Amino acid sequence: MAIEALPEDPAEWRIAVVGSGAVGCYYGGRLARHGNRVRFLMRRDLEHVRAHGLDVRSCLGDFRVPEVEAFGSTEEMGAADVVLVTLKTTANGDLERLLPPLLHGGTRIVTLQNGLGNEEFLAERWGADRVLGGVCFTCINRTGSGRIEHTAQGAIAVGSLTEASAGEAVRFAGLCEAAGIECRVASSIAAVRWRKLVWNIPFNGLAIAGGGIDTSRILGEPALERLVRELMGEVIGAAERLGYPMAAGLIEDQLAATRTMAAYRPSSMIDYVEGREVEVESIWGEPARRAAAAGVAVPKLEMLYGLISGLVGLRRGT
Amino acid sequence: MAIEALPEDPAEWRIAVVGSGAVGCYYGGRLARHGNRVRFLMRRDLEHVRAHGLDVRSCLGDFRVPEVEAFGSTEEMGAADVVLVTLKTTANGDLERLLPPLLHGGTRIVTLQNGLGNEEFLAERWGADRVLGGVCFTCINRTGSGRIEHTAQGAIAVGSLTEASAGEAVRFAGLCEAAGIECRVASSIAAVRWRKLVWNIPFNGLAIAGGGIDTSRILGEPALERLVRELMGEVIGAAERLGYPMAAGLIEDQLAATRTMAAYRPSSMIDYVEGREVEVESIWGEPARRAAAAGVAVPKLEMLYGLISGLVGLRRGT
């Protein structure tokens, strides 16, 4: 059954945000502020946001969204044209229950989640034609109920998995741009994900393995900087074998960019030290498995995956 | 110049212990208690031990050595027939200054230190004919001034590097056995060292990488147990390529033995969490370099080496 087209004008799209953490509130908040029809699925901040709205401190300019359509269940939200999935990947299992009430014959599901495997998870259940992959390049944190802090960057890359949603990908990008969100359409969202992993795998991983250290401490310690380079080399090797060529000089460029970030705390490390779920499988496990399936040796990535799994398991046990 | 033979009866040997930490006090203490002529180089416990002697709690039976010949410098100690080197390997540089006053034409130097590179360090400076390698299989801790706790095992393996000291190795083993120290002569002390490293590399390393965890927590966490096996496999592969065949079933045997140890805290982990020097180079660095020189890929060992180096470096920097 062919998927239905969405209304030509994305300004008419009804948008549902599933997972109203920092990323969901930031991007959903920008769309709502611009006047788009956005409904948020919320849990802990539901009552606060209903009463007080969203308060966003952003490096691109602070703003408030006083009136927010926040709900406690997707049944109450009803059907949407675009579902932004911004749940943590460790909660993907919940989507089987959360998404069906939001879907009509043309609903597109846009995952803005981290790591690998999210598009595939959605495509297996609701069809590849429905799914758009999205990758965020940004630093956003929740600093309180309904309070979001956006400290750097903010761009999104988006791409469809099949031709059936290629037009929707372009129009979704236009919708974002109109609302002040830099958004480009990527010909291969998988390539974009691997490129982001070249950074996330070593930095998020060593920040945890180092007991909760920031990027400046990693790069200030020669043995750890060397591991960053070696891990990046493995990830690039895997990506290229899988058909996603990485730019020449990528390691040096990423290290230089990271040095400008000073004492940046990778999100997985914050999750780890604050006792929240860590996205172990999507950031380390799935890339390691895909590299192995493609016959690429990634022993240091495998070791980091094992170590992070172990550290997270130990924390859970205590 | 041929090295002189030592007196035929090892009971006549003058013994010097350089490095009076837990290992030096335990083995030196047993020899002294048996009536051997033992002098100790001491630093922080010097005055206490001179006044009160050594107090050893041992799983093989507690004992005291009330009169101990303790000195603050090797110049005061004078020449010895056997020098037991029980310094931490991170202090090997000090031996160039400490050892010369103890050496006569026939003095043998027995290193009871951890990891790789110690025999070579001594042989380069004072000749391979003088050097006996020793490996301790034991759990000993210093619990206070002049107080030692010996909680498990206690055996030594010893071996000469050249034929010139083969007889002394056998007589040294006899000296130990007479004093209640289980001691066997190994045909290849290097093989014994590698076998010990099969255990030390993963367990000491993951205990540190895990932020200070004991062996039961490592083996209780499946991802970490798997890393133990993978690291052991790499170390065994390197040892065998270097000409030291390891026993079949060694990994399973070591895991089973470790499970009987319950919540054992590896010595390097204790050093790490208590802010003391960690023997990074002898336990991880030198094995990684020798494997690489032999053309054996040990990527997980290299990663562990990098990570431990980094963690120790970070701690030093704070």
Side-chain angles (χ1 to χ4, degrees):
Chain A
M1 194 179 75
I3 189 168
E4 296 169 18
L6 288 181
E8 192 63 30
D9 181 1
E12 294 174 20
W13 293 354
R14 292 159 296 167
I15 298 161
V17 177
V18 174
S20 299
V23 169
C25 286
Y26 175 73
Y27 290 110
R30 281 214 175 266
L31 292 168
R33 174 202 189 205
H34 186 61
N36 291 290
R37 299 155 68 185
V38 186
R39 293 183 162 182
F40 296 82
L41 177 68
M42 295 206 164
R43 212 165 30 192
R44 60 179 168 177
D45 288 354
L46 178 60
E47 296 310 322
H48 181 94
V49 170
R50 277 185 169 163
H52 306 285
L54 287 169
D55 185 4
V56 180
R57 307 292 170 96
S58 170
C59 53
L60 305 177
D62 301 343
F63 64 92
R64 285 187 49 76
V65 187
E67 305 275 322
V68 173
E69 290 195 70
F71 298 85
S73 74
T74 50
E75 285 80 2
E76 297 166 77
M77 294 167 75
D81 298 308
V82 167
V83 178
L84 291 186
V85 177
T86 48
L87 275 185
K88 207 175 260 189
T89 57
T90 50
N92 273 354
D94 296 347
L95 292 173
E96 310 213 39
R97 173 177 56 79
L98 295 174
L99 288 199
L102 301 173
L103 304 182
H104 62 62
T107 305
R108 265 51 175 201
I109 310 170
V110 183
T111 165
L112 294 179
Q113 299 166 289
N114 282 324
L116 294 188
N118 302 305
E119 287 88 0
E120 294 83 348
F121 179 91
L122 297 168
E124 278 169 25
R125 284 156 186 81
W126 295 289
D129 285 350
R130 278 192 187 279
V131 178
L132 303 184
V135 178
C136 306
F137 297 89
T138 188
C139 307
I140 313 175
N141 286 293
R142 176 186 176 277
T143 53
S145 293
R147 289 179 67 95
I148 303 300
E149 189 162 311
H150 166 229
T151 51
Q153 307 183 69
I156 296 177
V158 69
S160 64
L161 303 194
T162 68
E163 273 302 301
S165 287
E168 274 74 11
V170 172
R171 284 182 288 150
F172 178 79
L175 173 73
C176 291
E177 292 275 352
I181 300 163
E182 190 184 330
C183 186
R184 70 183 177 89
V185 178
S187 56
S188 164
I189 201 68
V192 176
R193 289 209 177 276
W194 275 99
R195 189 178 186 286
K196 187 174 175 184
L197 286 167
V198 170
W199 194 93
N200 279 146
I201 284 173
F203 280 105
N204 289 38
L206 293 174
I208 292 175
I213 55 175
D214 62 44
T215 54
S216 71
R217 298 198 71 201
I218 293 171
L219 292 182
E221 182 53 48
L224 297 182
E225 188 200 301
R226 189 173 154 182
L227 287 183
V228 168
R229 290 174 186 276
E230 292 170 350
L231 285 159
M232 284 184 168
E234 285 191 357
V235 179
I236 289 170
E240 296 197 326
R241 178 76 69 89
L242 287 160
Y244 311 116
M246 296 284 119
L250 179 59
I251 294 179
E252 293 310 319
D253 290 352
Q254 291 209 343
L255 289 181
T258 306
R259 286 203 179 84
T260 68
M261 292 158 61
Y264 179 67
R265 302 173 77 221
S267 58
S268 303
M269 181 273 267
I270 298 176
D271 287 339
Y272 177 73
V273 298
E274 296 190 354
R276 294 197 301 265
E277 291 286 331
V278 176
E279 300 180 304
V280 179
E281 295 308 323
S282 61
I283 298 180
W284 297 279
E286 192 61 23
R289 286 187 286 273
R290 294 197 190 182
V296 184
V298 287
K300 291 191 169 78
L301 164 57
E302 283 175 358
M303 168 119 181
L304 189 59
Y305 170 44
L307 186 61
I308 301 297
S309 300
L311 291 170
V312 167
L314 286 171
R315 196 200 52 188
R316 194 176 293 128
T318 52
Chain B
M1 192 179 77
I3 188 167
E4 295 168 18
L6 288 180
E8 192 63 31
D9 182 0
E12 294 175 19
W13 292 354
R14 293 161 295 167
I15 298 160
V17 177
V18 174
S20 298
V23 169
C25 286
Y26 174 74
Y27 290 111
R30 280 216 176 266
L31 293 168
R33 174 201 189 203
H34 186 62
N36 291 290
R37 299 156 70 186
V38 186
R39 293 183 162 183
F40 296 82
L41 176 68
M42 295 205 165
R43 211 165 30 190
R44 61 180 168 178
D45 288 353
L46 178 61
E47 295 310 322
H48 181 94
V49 170
R50 276 184 170 163
H52 306 285
L54 287 169
D55 184 4
V56 180
R57 306 294 169 95
S58 170
C59 54
L60 305 177
D62 299 345
F63 64 91
R64 286 188 49 77
V65 187
E67 305 275 325
V68 173
E69 291 195 69
F71 297 85
S73 74
T74 50
E75 284 80 3
E76 297 166 77
M77 293 165 74
D81 298 307
V82 167
V83 177
L84 291 185
V85 177
T86 49
L87 276 187
K88 206 174 264 190
T89 57
T90 49
N92 274 353
D94 296 346
L95 292 172
E96 309 211 39
R97 172 177 57 80
L98 294 174
L99 288 199
L102 301 173
L103 305 181
H104 62 61
T107 305
R108 263 54 173 198
I109 310 171
V110 184
T111 164
L112 295 179
Q113 298 165 290
N114 282 322
L116 296 187
N118 302 305
E119 287 89 0
E120 294 81 349
F121 178 93
L122 297 169
E124 276 169 27
R125 283 154 186 82
W126 295 289
D129 285 350
R130 280 192 187 276
V131 178
L132 303 184
V135 178
C136 305
F137 297 89
T138 189
C139 308
I140 313 174
N141 287 292
R142 176 184 177 278
T143 54
S145 292
R147 290 180 68 94
I148 302 300
E149 189 160 312
H150 166 228
T151 52
Q153 307 182 68
I156 295 176
V158 68
S160 63
L161 302 194
T162 68
E163 273 303 302
S165 287
E168 273 74 10
V170 173
R171 284 183 288 150
F172 177 80
L175 172 74
C176 290
E177 292 276 351
I181 300 163
E182 191 184 329
C183 186
R184 70 183 177 88
V185 177
S187 57
S188 165
I189 201 68
V192 176
R193 288 209 178 277
W194 274 98
R195 187 177 186 286
K196 186 174 177 187
L197 286 168
V198 171
W199 194 94
N200 278 145
I201 283 172
F203 280 105
N204 289 38
L206 294 174
I208 293 174
I213 56 175
D214 62 44
T215 55
S216 71
R217 298 199 70 203
I218 293 171
L219 291 181
E221 182 52 49
L224 297 182
E225 187 200 300
R226 190 175 153 182
L227 286 184
V228 169
R229 290 175 187 275
E230 291 170 350
L231 285 159
M232 284 184 167
E234 284 190 358
V235 180
I236 289 170
E240 296 196 327
R241 177 76 69 89
L242 287 160
Y244 311 116
M246 297 284 118
L250 179 59
I251 293 178
E252 293 310 318
D253 290 353
Q254 291 209 342
L255 289 182
T258 307
R259 287 206 178 81
T260 69
M261 293 157 63
Y264 179 67
R265 303 172 78 221
S267 58
S268 303
M269 181 274 269
I270 298 176
D271 287 338
Y272 176 73
V273 298
E274 296 191 354
R276 295 195 301 265
E277 291 285 332
V278 176
E279 299 180 304
V280 179
E281 295 306 323
S282 61
I283 297 180
W284 297 279
E286 191 63 22
R289 286 187 286 272
R290 293 198 190 182
V296 184
V298 287
K300 291 192 169 76
L301 165 56
E302 281 174 359
M303 167 119 183
L304 189 60
Y305 171 45
L307 186 61
I308 302 296
S309 300
L311 290 170
V312 167
L314 285 172
R315 197 198 53 190
R316 195 176 294 128
T318 53

